Amino acid sequence: MARRTCLNMATGFPDWTRKSFTSADNFEQVKISATATEATTSFTQEVKSVLIYNDGVNVCHINFGATATTNHVKLPAKAWLVIDLKFTDVHTICATGETATLYAVGTY
């Protein structure tokens, strides 16, 4: 039986993921349209944890609860981020002339 490689050499992303669990009573999903103008997308209430997936073809920069700049967390195209942090607002921005569509699932 061949061993499975832990790194997908074509993309640099792992071809396996660890499962993460969080205690939550409910969840909310939001779609985020990011552009070169800083924007805010809000959950209806404070979330405890969030998974954000960048379905776009461009990099998007993200900040939680405060204005985003291109110096904040960089989420590459087709990548995802899971973070345990209490917040309501997701702030996003792309480089000049670029856009991205992100999907977020927050738990509370």
Side-chain angles (χ1 to χ4, degrees), residues 1-106:
M1 179 183 285
R3 287 189 163 214
R4 187 172 175 170
T5 304
C6 290
L7 185 64
N8 181 331
M9 300 310 268
T11 64
F13 289 100
D15 61 2
W16 57 272
T17 58
R18 292 185 180 186
K19 302 292 182 199
S20 63
F21 298 95
T22 182
S23 60
D25 295 323
N26 214 332
F27 70 95
E28 181 180 352
Q29 300 179 59
V30 295
K31 181 178 179 180
I32 302 169
S33 298
T35 67
T37 301
E38 198 273 347
T40 304
T41 302
S42 300
F43 288 97
T44 57
Q45 66 183 56
E46 184 178 78
V47 295
K48 297 192 294 188
S49 177
V50 69
L51 178 146
I52 299 177
Y53 173 69
N54 182 351
D55 195 36
V57 296
N58 298 306
V59 168
C60 182
H61 297 270
I62 303 169
N63 198 12
F64 304 99
T67 301
T69 70
T70 54
N71 291 323
H72 286 107
V73 174
K74 182 178 178 177
L75 188 60
K78 306 301 180 193
W80 52 271
L81 168 74
V82 174
I83 189 165
D84 292 333
L85 182 65
K86 292 181 181 181
F87 64 91
T88 304
D89 301 327
V90 179
H91 295 260
T92 56
I93 192 167
C94 293
T96 302
E98 295 184 350
T99 63
T101 300
L102 291 80
Y103 295 92
V105 178

